[in-house]
Amino acid sequence: LSRSFAPARASRRHYPGVIAICLRMAGGYRARVAEFDEFLQSDEFSRKKLHHLAFAGVPDGKGRRSIVWKLLLSFLPLKRDDWAPVLEKQRKSYEQFVQDLIVNPQAQDNVGDHPLSDEPDSRWGKFFKDNNVLLQIDKDCRRLLPDISFFQHPTGYPSKTGGMALRTRVERTVLEAKQVGTSRGGTRNVICNNRYFLQPITHTAVCGLDYQISVVQRSSESEEYNILPEDQEAHWEVVERILFIYAKLNPGVSYVQGMNEIAGPLYYVFASDPDPQWQKYAEPDTFFCFTSMMAEIRDNFIKTLDDSACGIGAMMVNLMSMLKEADNELWTSLENQQLKPQFFGFRWLTLLLSQEFCLPDIIRLWDSLLADEQRFAFLIHVCCAMLIMIREQLLEGDFATSLKLLQHYPPVDMHQILEKAVELREVLTVGADVKHVSEQ
């Protein structure tokens, strides 16, 4: 035993600097937490100080990040006294959106309407039209952030608006023709993605047949989700409703695949707030914060704007131009390998890197993105830093290996990426200033 403990005692004697560094880091972290807590007790918040503190990362715990993100996204006013009336108004507005926009054609006041009606104000017509969008939202939300189980767990605050749940609408809508088998007697059995067994039970006015759904539990390890009782909702269902309401209110954009990856981290942070009063209203708060973010990045989701000055194409051009200026050797190598930014940069920039890292790293990254006054210009610096961080592998690789590396980004310390991004911004800004002065 004395021999086995000897190296530990020796390391303590020979490396006193390590202990000192750890103590300084712990002391620095405690000081940052104290500074944050003092700031969040303010009656009025300085936007400049808010951005400064949040850019270096929001300390975990006590719901700090939930409050800070809401302030950064201008959901909460900078004056604390203004919070209560704003929150009451916004949350009532969202509740009204849910009641008005989630159409229930079977409501008692819908007398005279029928599924085959071609009237422009037919609830059944709106119901079927909405389902086209809902199917894609449902598919994406069911597999939201699959590395964690949070979104499959039931929320403590399910919707109380009544009517058919969105998931039920999807389960009763998706019937894949290639999987429908008809017996000689006309009885049909339908297996939908190996999840549901549907059987005709009665004739109705909808389409001649109604279906009773019984759940078939998957036996394989690839089970995507578990079915909850009717009176419960999984967290992914809350995100589904948020995106559906957004699509209804923004028909010009509607829903585009990938928006779920933007809403997911926001909802996770707000629904994980330890304060029940904040946690209870995670859904409406997420909706308005998501809407605020989409106001800045919605052009990335509009295909007709891809090649415009404000579209995703321009952002990819800016990324490669920045890489060329910062690391010409790496840029030349990617050009020679014919690795276009469309192969990796499109997803990076459109989804704010939400698919490239684990959730804790995404949250830490978004602290800085949301806190930066030019938040999505800084995103390009972050993407450029990511390329430079793995430059050696990219320089040595060919098209196939480099593409695989960029589409499955290797584990790298997020703090190192952010430090490199800040360094790039400072160097390139100084270089641009010098160039401007020389031209004058």
Side-chain angles (χ1 to χ4, degrees), residues 151-191:
F151 288 95
Q152 309 304 323
H153 291 169
T155 173
Y157 307 96
S159 175
K160 297 180 181 180
T161 56
M164 185 188 298
L166 294 181
R167 76 164 185 231
T168 306
R169 282 175 59 169
V170 172
E171 291 164 3
R172 295 184 180 181
T173 300
V174 180
L175 302 176
E176 298 184 7
K178 65 181 180 181
Q179 293 181 315
V180 176
T182 305
S183 68
R184 290 183 179 180
T187 303
R188 295 183 178 184
N189 293 330
V190 182
I191 297 178

Side-chain angles (χ1 to χ4, degrees), residues 31-313:
R32 284 189 62 244
V33 170
E35 185 179 13
F36 246 104
D37 289 342
E38 181 181 0
F39 175 75
L40 291 177
Q41 295 302 316
S42 305
D43 293 328
E44 185 171 356
F45 301 96
S46 163
R47 184 166 292 280
K48 183 177 181 181
K49 187 172 183 180
L50 171 67
H51 284 253
H52 173 73
L53 288 174
F55 187 84
V58 181
D60 295 325
K62 294 187 177 180
R64 298 183 188 93
R65 181 170 284 110
S66 174
I67 298 295
V68 169
W69 282 17
K70 290 168 186 174
L71 287 166
L72 291 171
L73 290 167
S74 300
F75 174 66
L76 288 177
L78 294 178
K79 291 184 178 180
R80 186 181 293 273
D81 290 343
D82 296 337
W83 285 11
V86 168
L87 289 173
E88 182 180 7
K89 178 183 177 181
Q90 299 286 62
R91 289 165 177 173
K92 283 185 177 179
S93 296
Y94 181 77
E95 184 178 356
Q96 194 64 44
F97 291 155
V98 173
Q99 292 177 354
D100 293 345
L101 299 177
I102 298 182
V103 178
N104 180 12
Q106 296 177 322
Q108 293 181 353
D109 62 345
N110 198 33
V111 179
D113 193 8
H114 59 86
L116 300 180
S117 173
D118 57 359
E119 295 295 328
D121 58 346
S122 168
R123 287 192 187 180
W124 279 105
K126 293 177 182 178
F127 179 83
F128 292 131
K129 184 178 180 181
D130 290 346
N131 282 351
N132 294 332
V133 176
L134 181 58
L135 290 176
Q136 184 62 58
I137 297 175
D138 184 86
K139 179 181 178 182
D140 292 344
C141 288
R142 286 180 189 269
R143 59 191 183 194
L144 182 61
L145 294 170
D147 292 339
I148 62 173
S149 61
F150 171 82
F151 288 95
Q152 309 304 323
H153 291 169
T155 173
Y157 307 96
S159 175
K160 297 180 181 180
T161 56
M164 185 188 298
L166 294 181
R167 76 164 185 231
T168 306
R169 282 175 59 169
V170 172
E171 291 164 3
R172 295 184 180 181
T173 300
V174 180
L175 302 176
E176 298 184 7
K178 65 181 180 181
Q179 293 181 315
V180 176
T182 305
S183 68
R184 290 183 179 180
T187 303
R188 295 183 178 184
N189 293 330
V190 182
I191 297 178
C192 186
N193 292 333
N194 297 326
R195 293 194 188 106
Y196 306 103
F197 175 80
L198 293 82
Q199 191 174 29
I201 52 174
T202 58
H203 288 275
T204 69
V206 179
C207 56
L209 288 174
D210 193 4
Y211 292 92
Q212 181 180 19
I213 300 176
S214 57
V215 176
V216 178
Q217 295 290 341
R218 286 185 179 180
S219 59
S220 66
E221 296 180 356
S222 62
E223 178 70 56
E224 294 182 13
Y225 57 89
N226 296 317
I227 302 301
L228 298 174
E230 288 296 327
D231 60 342
Q232 293 185 12
E233 282 187 328
H235 287 292
W236 68 262
E237 293 183 72
V238 180
V239 178
E240 177 181 46
R241 186 163 49 249
I242 291 169
L243 294 171
F244 182 70
I245 297 299
Y246 177 83
K248 291 277 287 182
L249 290 171
N250 298 270
V253 183
S254 188
Y255 173 79
V256 179
Q257 191 172 19
M259 289 182 181
N260 60 309
E261 304 291 346
I262 305 297
L266 288 172
Y267 176 77
Y268 174 82
V269 168
F270 299 161
S272 301
D273 194 307
D275 186 338
Q277 288 304 310
W278 288 109
Q279 191 181 116
K280 180 180 179 180
Y281 296 101
E283 180 177 347
D285 295 358
T286 299
F287 170 79
F288 286 105
C289 288
F290 172 75
T291 301
S292 178
M293 285 188 71
M294 287 302 299
E296 299 184 59
I297 64 172
R298 60 187 293 171
D299 291 349
N300 295 345
F301 290 90
I302 301 176
K303 187 174 182 180
T304 55
L305 297 178
D306 283 355
D307 298 326
S308 68
C310 59
I312 189 65

